[in-house]
Amino acid sequence: MGIEHTFRHKHILGLENLTEDDISLVIQTAESFREISNRSIKKVPTLRGRTVINLFFEPSTRTKLSFEIAAKRLSADTFSISKSTSSATKGETLVDTALNLEAMKPDIIIIRHSSSGAAQLLAKHLDASIINAGDGTHEHPSQGLLDLMTVKEKKGTIAGLTVAIIGDIAHSRVAHSDIIGFTKMGATVRVSGPATMMPRYLEQLGAQVCLSPREAVKGADVIMALRIQQERQLDPLIPSLREYAAFFGITEDILKLAKPDVIIMHPGPINRGVEMDPALADGSHSVILDQVTNGVAVRMALLYLLAGGD
Amino acid sequence: MGILQHDIALAMKPLTILFENAHLIDPRNNREGRFHLLVVDGKVKAVFEPSEALSVPDDCLRLDLKGKWLVPGLIDMHVHLREPGAEYKETIVSGTRAAAAGGFTAVACMPNTQPVNDSRAVTTLINALAKDAGTRVYPVGCISKGAEGKELAEFGEMRQAGVVAVSDDGLPVADSQLFKRALEYAGNYDLLVISHAEEPSLSRGGCMNDGVISTRLGLRGIPAVAESIMVYRDLALAAYTGRPVHIAHVSTSESVELIRRAKAQGWPVTAETAPHYFTLTEDAVGQYNSNAKMNPPLRAEEDRQAIIKGLADGTLDVIATDHAPHSRLEKDREFDLAANGIIGLETSVPLTLSLVREGIIDPSGFVRLMSTNPARILKVPGGGLEPGSPADLTIIDPDVQYVFTAEKILSKSRNSPFIGMEMTGRAMLTMVGGAVTWNCFEGSELPG
Ligand SMILES: [Zn+2]
């Protein structure tokens, strides 16, 4: 590593707990792991003998697969458990489930859960390292880190950039981690979307709230469109996806307001034609697939930093 | 309709005892200072100055209080005793023993048990179970059948069986017409209507105060306006019907201001808050600490300050604990899924005494908030120590210092955010109808 910094965390619960130096170290570590993914034999023995458990209480293909691939490329033994939150609430509690897993002595437990704070709860009860793979509307740190890594890869730096995040900010743990991560690394973050999807207190967390997406995108280096998750809402916050697409979708027209070399990001999976013009997702500004590739590298870095030390 | 008597046959036998050199605080009888108080046959026999000579019975026990406070028995008008239905969290006996240890001689228990107390049968059961209680127990009945917010419950039947008030506490009465009718119909039976003021469409899914911290933690917020909007509705309906309403667990600055203005206009309203609302803020949630989760939620610092001001100027009449026991099963889990509520009976005295030490209220204010006013509002015995009244009294050492630890909790549940905290002041002895229900005087010959 070309950096004099030791990673002192036992868990990855959120970007809120990481310092600027921690984040730089994760990105640098991930950059070196990205090279492994380009080899023909994509495997190193770094975590041989270590056990990693994926504990997913919410349906997820992409994040779970990304963590599984990351663990396997580091030669860890990995197991995935998917539980539906509804069946889990009927039977044993989350703490019970986790204590049962703990008895099998895993080194790292990766958890996704619909309740904010679920990863903290495990960290409080278990000896294993916990990685938060998304908890409720709180944080999704590995996604935030891969977004930072992707922007750094494309722009060379993060400090001084303007990042516009468009969509359902209130219900997005990705937005939350991105706001924390990008502001921590010196970028300016603007958010926009239907006002019913904006939490009231975002400005105190360091984001500028714009009622008009055009205003948010003006001069931006990065545009991040968030997935509209109708299924996570307790009640509908917008009248229709059609109206959302018409007023908040990213179009060629809006893109003209951003910097000419703006990059377009999306945490996936995209509702095509809702969050952005289909052509833009596949166009030259899009770095959506780089995000996916970097996701594996960032997750390898996190596993390595937590369990590869000794 | 007259006030019903609740002569709980306490297991312990009434004493003949002379409390000497008490610092007696009894605002209803305009007494504050050094007094002796004689208890005979379960009643206050005499209150007199040490200089007065008074013959006392030969078999009389004596306890020199050396200036410790002697006050009318404390009354907690808002507790959840969980029985029937959730006896693993609390029973009427365990909850009232905790109450006695906290200095209380009477509690009013909310009807959100399983089944809910919406009938003569459940009220009668609670009264039967309260035979072995550590305090007098005043059941509160439901406003609506099944607490479903649809039709009025049988106020008359429940009143005959012994309820002193009605409330759907735990839940708001969302339907304004039903709440108006409850105020009207309660008038036939001289019942107090207690409102859990919450606009459910604004609070739905929320699990802590809506603010910077809820945003940071990714927790759905309950905005302050969800309370105040309903407080105003209740006040307006009290004015419209001319029937009194009591607002439970006031937690926001705006609610305090609305109640202040309603009182200035002469509207028939009383209100309570709980020690946690003047002691803690939303900061106590920290990293998802479910022992700081209750409904209404802990609010912002400006709300806490407004509550304190409301207590100081009399806008808020009562301090009640909203004692809400839960086991680890409900609390040691995901924050949004964890149960609302904290226990409070054993911490109310020291937390309220801190207001006295800070000069926000005086000792007689303490007694008004915790005894005299709840007795007046509920129209139950107690609240003063006039000769002839039941010997329900509490002796308090306002200066004793200790750490509040989980092991010392008498409640069956331990869901308190105050565990581990330094406390100053506690009830030393509690007496109900002349019987000692709590005694932590070391070396005294009294039972306890
Ligand atoms: Zn309530």
Side-chain angles (χ1 to χ4, degrees):
Chain A
M1 303 293 106
I3 185 167
E4 295 288 326
H5 178 67
T6 321
F7 197 73
R8 296 187 189 283
H9 298 273
K10 181 172 180 193
H11 311 290
I12 305 291
L13 302 176
L15 292 194
E16 193 173 21
N17 316 94
L18 300 184
T19 65
E20 206 184 316
D21 284 345
D22 292 330
I23 292 171
S24 297
L25 178 61
V26 173
I27 292 173
Q28 290 204 19
T29 311
E31 282 164 352
S32 68
F33 280 129
R34 188 168 51 202
E35 177 265 328
I36 295 170
S37 301
N38 295 329
R39 296 182 193 165
S40 56
I41 295 170
K42 301 175 175 59
K43 201 157 181 162
V44 290
T46 319
L47 293 190
R48 180 170 291 157
R50 305 281 183 168
T51 305
V52 175
I53 294 179
N54 274 307
L55 181 57
F56 276 58
F57 288 89
E58 273 188 339
S60 151
T61 352
R62 302 159 66 103
T63 305
K64 193 167 79 178
L65 187 63
S66 183
F67 269 112
E68 274 175 18
I69 291 172
K72 290 204 161 94
R73 287 194 181 156
L74 293 171
S75 304
D77 297 319
T78 148
F79 306 91
S80 289
I81 301 161
S82 297
K83 291 202 166 205
S84 81
T85 314
S86 59
S87 75
T89 46
K90 273 182 220 138
E92 59 180 8
T93 65
L94 173 60
V95 174
D96 287 340
T97 304
L99 288 174
N100 271 293
L101 290 177
E102 175 95 330
M104 300 169 207
K105 309 285 176 212
D107 298 282
I108 297 179
I109 294 178
I110 298 157
I111 178 173
R112 163 163 296 191
H113 197 284
S114 58
S115 288
S116 299
Q120 260 92 348
L121 186 66
L122 287 206
K124 194 176 112 189
H125 285 276
L126 304 189
D127 287 333
S129 286
I130 307 298
I131 297 179
N132 180 5
D135 63 327
T137 52
H138 177 225
E139 281 223 46
H140 191 353
S142 61
Q143 178 73 41
L145 288 164
L146 75 87
D147 288 342
L148 288 164
M149 179 184 180
T150 306
V151 169
K152 182 162 175 274
E153 180 193 347
K154 301 297 172 189
K155 299 288 177 188
T157 177
I158 297 167
L161 298 181
T162 298
V163 179
I165 308 177
I166 314 294
D168 183 356
I169 308 296
H171 296 91
S172 172
R173 53 198 174 208
V174 175
H176 198 179
S177 287
D178 278 344
I179 290 167
I180 295 167
F182 279 103
T183 52
K184 212 167 245 185
M185 300 308 281
T188 298
V189 177
R190 297 185 197 140
V191 299
S192 187
T196 50
M197 293 176 163
M198 297 296 119
R200 285 166 57 82
Y201 303 90
L202 264 188
E203 303 204 332
Q204 278 133 297
L205 297 189
Q208 300 171 10
V209 179
C210 307
L211 278 178
S212 151
R214 306 179 78 85
E215 190 191 330
V217 162
K218 198 169 288 171
D221 301 280
V222 178
I223 296 173
M224 172 101 53
L226 297 176
R227 177 177 166 78
I228 292 300
Q229 289 170 301
Q230 289 287 11
E231 71 277 5
R232 189 176 292 154
Q233 294 167 19
L234 294 173
D235 31 44
L237 298 172
I238 49 168
S240 67
L241 290 178
R242 209 172 67 111
E243 178 152 297
Y244 180 89
F247 290 85
F248 299 96
I250 308 301
T251 58
E252 284 287 1
D253 190 35
I254 279 188
L255 213 60
K256 289 195 190 108
L257 300 167
K259 292 236 176 84
D261 61 347
V262 66
I263 57 172
I264 300 176
M265 305 175 77
H266 191 292
I270 297 186
N271 297 305
R272 284 194 173 255
V274 177
E275 292 108 12
M276 64 179 75
D277 270 356
L280 288 180
D282 309 320
S284 59
H285 294 281
S286 170
V287 298
I288 294 171
L289 292 177
D290 302 271
Q291 288 175 274
V292 178
T293 307
N294 288 339
V296 175
V298 155
R299 288 167 181 128
M300 288 170 78
L302 293 177
L303 293 168
Y304 168 78
L305 290 169
L306 291 184
D310 33 300
Chain B
M1 197 157 293
I3 294 155
L4 298 161
Q5 289 299 317
H6 296 261
D7 283 322
I8 308 300
L10 290 150
M12 287 138 288
K13 104 176 200 300
L15 305 178
T16 296
I17 183 166
L18 179 65
F19 293 107
E20 296 173 303
N21 299 310
H23 180 75
L24 187 112
I25 308 160
D26 182 1
R28 193 163 75 197
N29 294 294
N30 292 314
R31 281 202 183 98
E32 180 166 355
R34 186 159 286 225
F35 286 92
H36 292 342
L37 185 144
L38 177 64
V39 172
V40 176
D41 287 339
K43 293 201 162 67
V44 176
K45 177 80 178 171
V47 180
F48 55 102
E49 296 195 22
S51 56
E52 293 174 55
L54 200 95
S55 66
V56 298
D58 293 341
D59 60 341
C60 187
L61 294 165
R62 286 164 188 266
L63 185 63
D64 189 344
L65 296 181
K66 295 175 185 147
K68 292 202 172 33
W69 291 11
L70 195 165
V71 303
L74 306 182
I75 299 170
D76 189 343
M77 67 181 289
H78 193 140
V79 304
H80 299 270
L81 295 181
R82 304 296 184 216
E83 193 176 27
E87 290 82 359
Y88 68 101
K89 299 182 185 190
E90 196 80 285
T91 63
I92 289 170
V93 168
S94 70
T96 54
R97 299 281 156 184
F104 294 97
T105 55
V107 299
C109 59
M110 288 297 163
N112 61 339
T113 45
Q114 297 156 356
V116 295
N117 182 10
D118 64 349
S119 67
R120 176 196 293 276
V122 178
T123 305
T124 304
L125 171 67
I126 290 169
N127 279 332
L129 293 165
K131 287 276 181 277
D132 299 321
T135 63
R136 297 181 198 274
V137 175
Y138 300 115
V140 176
C142 285
I143 286 174
S144 65
K145 286 193 184 106
E148 285 173 352
K150 294 191 183 116
E151 301 169 51
L152 291 177
E154 291 165 333
F155 289 6
E157 297 251 323
M158 292 191 291
R159 179 54 152 164
Q160 276 185 338
V163 305
V164 295
V166 287
S167 178
D168 275 355
D169 184 59
L171 297 168
V173 177
D175 186 312
S176 301
Q177 177 67 274
L178 183 70
F179 197 75
K180 188 201 86 183
R181 286 181 179 151
L183 289 168
E184 290 167 341
Y185 191 55
N188 290 98
Y189 308 100
D190 195 23
L191 279 170
L192 178 69
V193 175
I194 300 175
S195 167
H196 168 120
E198 173 185 351
E199 167 50 51
S201 67
L202 288 173
S203 61
R204 187 160 50 221
C207 52
M208 73 169 292
N209 187 43
D210 186 47
V212 181
I213 295 175
S214 68
T215 306
R216 184 178 299 143
L217 295 176
L219 294 171
R220 199 170 161 102
I222 301 173
V225 68
E227 175 176 305
S228 53
I229 227 171
M230 209 56 139
V231 166
Y232 186 76
R233 181 203 72 173
D234 295 344
L235 299 176
L237 288 174
Y240 175 73
T241 59
R243 290 290 313 157
V245 71
H246 177 80
I247 309 293
H249 42 56
V250 170
S251 74
T252 79
S253 150
E254 185 68 12
S255 302
V256 174
E257 186 51 35
L258 289 167
I259 294 163
R260 186 176 285 126
R261 272 188 262 158
K263 286 188 163 185
Q265 288 169 274
W267 295 4
V269 53
T270 55
E272 77 192 28
T273 191
H276 39 275
Y277 300 120
F278 62 72
T279 309
L280 302 175
T281 65
E282 58 190 339
D283 289 352
V285 174
Q287 286 296 315
Y288 306 97
N289 175 11
S290 64
N291 278 341
K293 181 182 177 185
M294 69 283 293
N295 187 25
L298 296 171
R299 302 287 188 182
E301 177 62 16
E302 58 158 332
D303 296 299
R304 191 181 79 89
Q305 293 298 339
I307 299 285
I308 287 174
K309 226 171 137 229
L311 287 166
D313 72 7
T315 300
L316 300 174
D317 304 86
V318 169
I319 291 172
T321 64
D322 198 3
H323 178 80
H326 289 293
S327 80
R328 290 190 57 179
L329 207 64
E330 291 88 21
K331 279 296 197 182
D332 201 3
R333 59 175 312 175
E334 301 90 316
F335 191 90
D336 56 341
L337 304 175
N340 280 312
I342 61 168
I343 55 169
L345 286 164
E346 295 168 76
T347 45
S348 187
V349 162
L351 295 175
T352 306
L353 281 171
S354 71
L355 298 179
V356 178
R357 278 194 303 279
E358 289 161 28
I360 292 155
I361 55 173
D362 56 16
S364 69
F366 172 95
V367 174
R368 266 188 232 105
L369 289 163
M370 295 193 70
S371 177
T372 313
N373 290 348
R376 172 177 54 88
I377 292 164
L378 288 176
K379 300 181 183 173
V380 298
L385 291 167
E386 17 327 89
S389 65
D392 288 13
L393 54 87
T394 306
I395 293 163
I396 291 168
D397 181 342
D399 301 316
V400 60
Q401 296 192 338
Y402 58 99
V403 176
F404 180 66
T405 57
E407 301 75 56
K408 289 182 196 148
I409 292 173
L410 292 190
S411 167
K412 270 195 173 184
S413 294
R414 292 174 171 192
N415 51 314
S416 167
F418 301 112
I419 289 170
M421 249 173 80
E422 285 266 8
M423 296 280 173
T424 303
R426 68 149 53 114
M428 301 300 292
L429 185 143
T430 310
M431 175 172 269
V432 179
V436 173
T437 51
W438 167 253
N439 173 21
C440 67
F441 277 106
E442 270 176 47
S444 83
E445 295 160 32
L446 300 175

